[in-house]
Amino acid sequence: MSRRTSELASPTAFRRPSALDSPTSLSRRQSTVDSRRPSIDPSRLVRMDKVSHIGGTDDFNVVFVGAGNIMFGSDEGPWNHSFRFEHKLGPRLKVVALIDPAIDRATAVLQKKCDTFVRSAYEHTRVFKSLEEFVRNMSKKDMPRAVIVGSPPMFRGTIQSGRDIEIQIMKYFPGVAMFIEKPAATGPASELPEAFTVAKAIRESSTLCSVGYMLRYLRAVQMMKQIIHENNLTVMATIARYACAYEAIAKPDWWDKSKSAGPIVEQGTHFCDLSRYFGGEVDMSTVSAHSLEWDENAGQLSKMTVDETAIPPENRIPRVTAATWKYDSGAVGSFTHLVALQGHDYSCELEVYADGYQLKLVNPYVQPVLYIRRPGSDMEETHRFPDDDPFFSEISVLIDNIEDIEEDPDTAQILSSFEDACKTYELTWTIRLAAERNRKTKKDAETATPAPEA
């Protein structure tokens, strides 16, 4: 359902009120630029196998845009939106259309679904090359209640024809909810204003929209938010680190900045987003970054599975990017992304500091562990969250909001709006550009310095 027009005056119009929302009166330790973000009581984030599908008997029509791994899963990771929709909606789920220009691939994944116990959700699904083609051929009974966008980010987040899926959805299906995968886009930095134009259109149309920054929905992350709120803390610093296992990355486009936008924009986006989730808005003018590049001695990799010589030198990705910045609140943030590990497992951590507190999130993608140090003790508490599924939680919250016609204040809130996602996208591009400027400055200085005489 669409949001009420009166909510547009609120900076939190994209979500529900919560018991964990900021109080209306600010204490002496808070300001209007503090680190508050929408949150959910972590006890309400329940494992998928402990939840029954949502009640009701009417069909819940959905359109899937994209027939790839994000939507239907693969051996490479836990992504599989269709699986979460099946569990949340049960027999009510009806996928009325699958949009993908690769018709053969889309048809193949549908056949696999129809060979399983979820056949009823897909047996009448039709495949179309584009959203426009679906609209031309749809009947009234095909009207969706949600459109789920899992197509590559280079085809969304702009106002250009063929790359404006959000605008098209609002044009053809006004008031219908959207779920958009992250990041908001991966076009050139010059297109950033277009992403914010899309965000403005979504906000002004009161369209319910959730963006797939699923780490916000981790129980560990919400426990961190709860601790900050209950103790009236102001975040002092965020320190994030993301070390990927490059040996397992065999997709050539990932190693090409002109196609993937680089590891900070495409991969590091989750940790830039989590940093903002705790630290608040970033003063973009303070962002500074340095990189270790492919042609430097320390940047040589021995286990690459792609032929990097096929990629133009100017498009090859950095091996390390390290960035620092100031938040509007005065707090400090830092992020380091590394293309350094071999094998398959990544190493990722986020530390959040406040007066007397250290909150350290480790291994959020697989088996999250939260280490907490509190005032009065030098010992760390350890909290483990086995089998937590933030992918299910974000889908579950979206559907609960769509179904919540009466706008129950107890309905869990969507944690990432499109506008908020655009701010994360802006931060990742600002980091990349800052690192590239410093690399160019170094190169120019080396060129200008004459070689020593023999």
Side-chain angles (χ1 to χ4, degrees):
M1 300 296 293
S2 63
R3 306 296 90 200
R4 290 175 179 152
T5 304
S6 61
E7 288 182 331
L8 294 179
S10 168
T12 54
F14 66 93
R15 48 81 165 186
R16 305 289 183 193
S18 165
L20 297 182
D21 282 352
S22 304
T24 54
S25 60
L26 298 174
S27 75
R28 63 182 178 85
R29 303 181 60 214
Q30 296 173 315
S31 71
T32 56
V33 291
D34 68 3
S35 61
R36 300 299 186 201
R37 283 290 189 275
S39 54
I40 300 172
D41 185 334
S43 67
R44 300 181 63 180
L45 299 174
V46 183
R47 282 168 38 182
M48 186 168 64
D49 61 347
K50 301 294 184 183
V51 178
S52 299
H53 63 75
I54 195 168
T57 58
D58 57 315
D59 289 345
F60 193 106
N61 289 351
V62 173
V63 170
F64 286 162
V65 180
N69 297 343
I70 290 292
M71 201 70 76
F72 292 100
S74 74
D75 295 333
E76 297 179 5
W79 316 279
N80 190 333
H81 290 320
S82 62
F83 178 64
R84 276 78 179 190
F85 273 90
E86 293 155 12
H87 194 96
K88 177 68 175 180
L89 289 167
R92 294 181 59 196
L93 175 64
K94 297 294 182 286
V95 180
V96 295
L98 176 57
I99 313 297
D100 196 302
I103 298 295
D104 290 343
R105 177 178 63 182
T107 302
V109 296
L110 284 179
Q111 185 57 55
K112 289 182 179 179
K113 288 290 188 181
C114 287
D115 290 340
T116 69
F117 68 95
V118 294
R119 177 184 178 88
S120 65
Y122 300 95
E123 59 185 344
H124 300 300
T125 305
R126 294 186 293 166
V127 177
F128 298 94
K129 289 184 177 181
S130 67
L131 190 68
E132 293 87 346
E133 184 183 4
F134 167 57
V135 171
R136 288 196 302 268
N137 291 276
M138 68 177 288
S139 63
K140 186 176 180 180
K141 64 180 178 60
D142 293 327
M143 177 60 69
R145 296 192 64 190
V147 180
I148 313 306
V149 180
S151 53
M154 66 279 296
F155 298 116
R156 58 179 189 256
T158 78
I159 56 175
Q160 301 170 38
S161 178
R163 300 174 56 208
D164 60 344
I165 188 66
E166 302 90 351
I167 299 296
Q168 293 301 310
I169 292 169
M170 289 185 287
K171 172 184 175 181
Y172 294 123
F173 308 116
V176 171
M178 294 189 290
F179 177 87
I180 312 293
E181 253 308 323
K182 63 80 199 168
T186 54
S190 59
E191 294 178 354
L192 263 169
E194 294 190 33
F196 281 99
T197 298
V198 174
K200 183 173 183 286
I202 292 173
R203 174 168 46 83
E204 291 183 347
S205 68
S206 301
T207 299
L208 187 68
C209 181
S210 174
V211 178
Y213 282 107
M214 79 287 176
L215 295 183
R216 293 190 178 201
Y217 294 84
L218 283 170
R219 289 169 57 208
V221 166
Q222 292 307 314
M223 185 175 182
M224 294 164 73
K225 295 290 285 188
Q226 187 176 54
I227 290 169
I228 291 169
H229 174 78
E230 290 180 346
N231 293 279
N232 197 29
L233 302 176
T234 298
V235 170
M236 300 170 66
T238 64
I239 303 173
R241 175 179 55 77
Y242 189 118
C244 73
Y246 73 87
E247 184 181 7
I249 303 175
K251 184 179 180 181
D253 285 2
W254 188 87
W255 296 86
D256 187 331
K257 288 192 295 187
S258 68
K259 297 179 178 179
S260 69
I264 291 290
V265 176
E266 193 273 343
Q267 191 177 69
T269 184
H270 275 298
F271 269 52
C272 288
D273 186 72
L274 272 188
S275 297
R276 289 186 55 253
Y277 189 50
F278 287 101
E281 299 303 343
V282 175
D283 180 351
M284 298 296 175
S285 69
T286 66
V287 174
S288 176
H290 295 273
S291 61
L292 167 65
E293 296 292 334
W294 63 273
D295 57 350
E296 296 182 277
N297 182 56
Q300 305 306 303
L301 301 177
S302 61
K303 291 285 188 177
M304 287 181 62
T305 54
V306 302
D307 179 12
E308 196 174 34
T309 62
I311 301 171
E314 66 272 16
N315 293 335
R316 297 175 191 173
I317 66 170
R319 302 337 191 195
V320 180
T321 303
T324 59
W325 59 82
K326 289 275 287 182
Y327 293 103
D328 286 349
S329 66
V332 176
S334 70
F335 176 50
T336 300
H337 182 280
L338 304 98
V339 182
L341 300 181
Q342 298 174 8
H344 290 83
D345 291 344
Y346 289 23
S347 176
C348 304
E349 296 185 4
L350 172 71
E351 298 179 17
V352 178
Y353 290 88
D355 185 17
Y357 287 81
Q358 178 193 52
L359 309 174
K360 182 165 66 174
L361 175 65
V362 177
N363 201 18
Y365 289 98
V366 185
Q367 292 290 343
V369 181
L370 177 60
Y371 299 96
I372 303 172
R373 177 170 165 174
R374 303 176 187 265
S377 175
D378 293 342
M379 302 296 292
E380 285 186 337
E381 305 168 14
T382 302
H383 299 264
R384 301 184 185 276
F385 304 84
D387 302 317
D388 191 13
D389 186 353
F391 292 96
F392 175 71
S393 294
E394 69 178 352
I395 295 301
S396 179
V397 169
L398 171 68
I399 293 172
D400 286 346
N401 276 261
I402 295 171
E403 291 277 89
D404 182 22
I405 299 173
E406 299 301 323
E407 301 197 352
D408 183 349
D410 290 331
T411 299
Q413 57 196 302
I414 289 170
L415 299 182
S416 180
S417 70
F418 196 89
E419 187 169 17
D420 203 25
C422 286
K423 293 177 182 178
T424 292
Y425 183 49
E426 181 182 24
L427 174 59
T428 59
W429 259 113
T430 304
I431 291 171
R432 173 182 159 176
L433 293 175
E436 290 177 347
R437 280 195 302 271
N438 278 328
R439 171 173 165 78
K440 183 178 185 302
T441 299
K442 180 183 177 183
K443 286 281 190 182
D444 290 347
E446 290 173 349
T447 301
T449 302
E453 296 182 2

